[in-house]
Amino acid sequence: MKLSELIHQNEIILLPKEIGDIEVNGVGADSRRIKPGELFFSLDGSIANMYDAVIKGASAVVTDTVTDGRFPVPTVITKDAREAFALACLRIYGDPQKKLRLCAVTGTNGKTTTANMLSAILYEGGYTSCVIGTEGADFGGETIKTGYTTPPPDVLAPLLKRAADENIDFVVMEASSHALDQKRLCGLDFEVGIFTNLSRDHLDYHKSTEAYSAAKAGLFRKCRHSVLNFDDPHAYEMAWAANDEIWYYSAKDFDVDFYADNIVHTEWGVQFDFCSVGAREHISSPLFGSYSVLDMLAAASAASVLGIKARLSARALERFHGAPGRMERIDTKTGFHVIIDFAHTPDAMKNVLSAARGFTPGRVITVFGCGGDRDCGKRAEMGKVACNLSDTVIITSDNPRSEEPNDIIDDIISQIKSRENYITEPDRGKAIELALSTAEKGDTVMLLGKGAESFIIVGEKKLPFSDKEQAENIILKKGL
């Protein structure tokens, strides 16, 4: 493919005369993996990485930083290297996004569940869809793990090409704040964008809630329809950024486009009426909690905007039992429940523990930790939430990375006033075994933070570990 086909003239600030229109074999942004003949995009302006790419055979270097580096290959100066890289990745795969209808979900919590709900509704409406998110890219029977909530452009573009080649109608994506800030979605236009909610998270990266919210709002500049949670105060920030039509949904206010009425929480799930102008459909869902109502509202509202009838949304949601690792239940012979959930923020923890309180006649026993090398400011807040809403809390490890697990635990317990209802056990496997061994009939054991993850990160090593497998093995071994 020619350079001029990958980077258009209006995206270039400086193009060396001697470059001509060179042939390019591929594109890359990781100098360690660049192959001969590929175009290297320097996303951070690192001279060392540029030299490394050139040594490995890069045909040219693309950067948005004017550099004194003298390379034996041409250097192209672009207006924005990240945007240029995202566009080049799409172009080299034939712009597959143009053959697809794209939807995206952003927010602190609920992205995975809402995306999967929307996919289920699309299927009920007669459409095929692919979900790309935290659990990978789901092509209906085959899941390709990417290691990202929103993959980088060189991973995302081939996934979109496969979806286009397989004539899939819709791609439903989770849009993370990191991806939006890093312009991974540049070149993509979304038919519908959904905002679920916004609470504290990723402040190690964004530094402030304002910057975090602004990153999320960037999605809606790319959307034809913006479907926003009216119950969240940050919805207005998303609306200000919206490029076209705005739709609101609410579980509290009836003066919006879509709302929930007659909400009833039971020990078997939640029931409510999904309402819009001229339509009312009853939904009886096996999911729990007020946050599940909002997730269903988000998905059903987006589907309505796409032209899918409310009765089809209701039918799909009544059969939807949750995304992997999201309020995923394991039953036991002893009569207590084990629930696995990805909740790793104070707000998400509050939501799932409040839901557990609603259907648990006995004790709520919570096992959780906080990730290392991530927003340490939320640790103490999560400790307080866990102790306030649980009868017993076992504080343990959760991807400690380069930090010492006990140091993270010290942060978590730093603002807990009473030691009466928590203990610490840095070994997550032992913590889960302790929780299950002490549970009795009527209790609920909440394993929080890792969801469907199949690993735990210690130092730079990703070691095999699954909360679900660990719990199932203990239940089997102990005959629980």
Side-chain angles (χ1 to χ4, degrees):
M1 201 167 188
K2 299 291 186 182
L3 175 66
S4 61
E5 296 176 286
L6 294 178
I7 307 178
H8 294 174
Q9 190 63 45
N10 64 344
E11 298 158 11
I12 296 173
I13 294 175
L14 181 62
L15 183 69
K17 292 180 180 178
E18 69 274 14
I19 194 171
D21 199 6
I22 63 173
E23 191 71 28
V24 174
N25 296 336
V27 297
D30 186 340
S31 63
R32 299 166 297 181
R33 299 178 181 176
I34 210 75
K35 296 175 183 176
E38 289 187 337
L39 193 59
F40 175 66
F41 287 78
S42 175
L43 305 185
D44 61 2
S46 167
I47 299 294
N49 289 344
M50 292 185 210
Y51 271 114
D52 187 33
V54 169
I55 291 170
K56 288 184 170 65
S59 57
V61 170
V62 182
T63 179
D64 53 16
T65 304
V66 178
T67 173
D68 294 331
R70 300 286 181 175
F71 306 117
V73 298
T75 302
V76 181
I77 309 296
T78 63
K79 295 177 181 178
D80 189 305
R82 290 187 179 276
E83 288 187 5
F85 180 55
L87 292 169
C89 288
L90 293 171
R91 289 164 182 163
I92 207 164
Y93 282 96
D95 282 320
Q97 76 281 5
K98 294 180 179 179
K99 302 174 185 177
L100 300 163
R101 299 174 73 179
L102 304 180
C103 303
V105 185
T106 196
T108 304
N109 304 309
K111 294 187 295 296
T112 300
T113 298
T114 302
N116 280 276
M117 284 177 173
L118 179 55
S119 178
I121 295 171
L122 290 169
Y123 179 80
E124 193 70 34
Y127 296 101
T128 55
S129 65
C130 166
V131 177
I132 299 177
T134 306
E135 302 307 320
D138 183 0
F139 284 91
E142 181 188 1
T143 300
I144 299 173
K145 295 292 185 181
T146 69
Y148 298 89
T149 297
T150 311
D154 52 339
V155 177
L156 178 58
L159 295 174
L160 295 177
K161 183 179 187 304
R162 174 172 170 175
D165 290 345
E166 294 182 5
N167 295 314
I168 289 174
D169 299 311
F170 283 89
V171 171
V172 183
M173 298 177 56
E174 295 180 48
S176 71
S177 59
H178 291 72
L180 291 163
D181 184 65
Q182 295 168 11
K183 303 179 180 179
R184 296 181 199 170
L185 301 181
C186 186
L188 303 183
D189 294 315
F190 296 92
E191 194 163 339
V192 170
I194 299 172
F195 169 66
T196 59
N197 51 68
L198 192 139
S199 60
R200 178 172 185 147
D201 202 12
H202 303 306
L203 296 193
D204 54 308
Y205 177 88
H206 293 289
K207 308 305 179 187
S208 70
T209 301
E210 291 75 19
Y212 178 41
S213 178
K216 294 285 190 188
L219 171 65
F220 301 101
R221 298 186 184 94
K222 307 163 68 62
C223 297
R224 180 182 172 192
H225 299 283
S226 297
V227 178
L228 311 178
N229 177 5
F230 187 76
D231 298 344
D232 190 290
H234 294 278
Y236 292 104
E237 296 163 42
M238 309 302 138
W240 278 110
N243 184 50
D244 208 329
E245 292 191 62
I246 300 170
W247 307 78
Y248 289 107
Y249 64 92
S250 174
K252 300 177 180 177
D253 198 305
F254 294 170
D255 192 23
V256 292
D257 302 290
F258 307 99
Y259 62 90
D261 191 15
N262 300 321
I263 301 172
V264 178
H265 297 276
T266 73
E267 60 179 314
W268 307 112
V270 64
Q271 301 177 21
F272 67 97
D273 294 335
F274 171 61
C275 305
S276 61
V277 176
R280 177 182 287 263
E281 287 290 335
H282 185 71
I283 297 174
S284 181
S285 167
L287 304 183
F288 295 97
S290 298
Y291 64 95
S292 292
V293 174
L294 283 167
D295 291 345
M296 286 186 273
L297 275 173
S301 300
S304 294
V305 169
L306 291 169
I308 296 175
K309 294 186 180 299
R311 62 179 174 81
L312 297 178
S313 292
R315 188 186 304 167
L317 292 173
E318 289 189 342
R319 291 201 292 258
F320 184 83
H321 287 268
R326 271 66 178 179
M327 288 297 278
E328 186 173 357
R329 182 184 297 213
I330 302 173
D331 291 321
T332 67
K333 297 176 184 176
T334 313
F336 64 85
H337 298 299
V338 181
I339 291 181
I340 298 167
D341 194 85
F342 191 56
H344 61 282
T345 68
D347 189 57
M349 178 178 279
K350 179 181 178 182
N351 287 336
V352 298
L353 291 179
S354 295
R357 274 290 181 203
F359 60 75
T360 302
R363 298 171 301 160
V364 173
I365 302 170
T366 300
V367 178
F368 88 101
C370 292
D373 302 331
R374 296 295 185 266
D375 182 9
C376 61
K378 67 180 180 181
R379 295 174 182 174
E381 191 174 347
M382 290 179 69
K384 290 190 291 184
V385 170
C387 287
N388 287 340
L389 294 175
S390 309
D391 295 284
T392 300
V393 180
I394 304 173
I395 302 170
T396 187
S397 296
D398 181 348
N399 297 334
R401 299 183 175 85
S402 70
E403 292 191 65
E404 284 294 326
N406 283 319
D407 291 341
I408 298 173
I409 290 172
D410 286 343
D411 286 343
I412 293 171
I413 65 176
S414 63
Q415 295 182 28
I416 301 174
K417 295 180 180 180
S418 171
R419 292 186 58 88
E420 291 181 2
N421 72 330
Y422 80 85
I423 59 174
T424 64
E425 172 49 72
D427 185 311
R428 191 174 182 92
K430 291 181 179 178
I432 293 172
E433 184 167 10
L434 178 60
L436 296 178
S437 299
T438 57
E440 300 174 350
K441 184 177 180 179
D443 292 346
T444 298
V445 176
M446 303 291 290
L447 307 181
L448 304 183
K450 295 189 64 60
E453 287 181 352
S454 59
F455 58 83
I456 189 166
I457 304 172
V458 181
E460 295 183 357
K461 294 181 179 180
K462 188 179 280 190
L463 306 175
F465 189 94
S466 162
D467 278 2
K468 182 177 182 179
E469 289 181 8
Q470 194 80 15
E472 287 177 336
N473 289 339
I474 294 167
I475 289 169
L476 182 63
K477 182 177 73 173
K478 292 182 175 290
L480 299 174

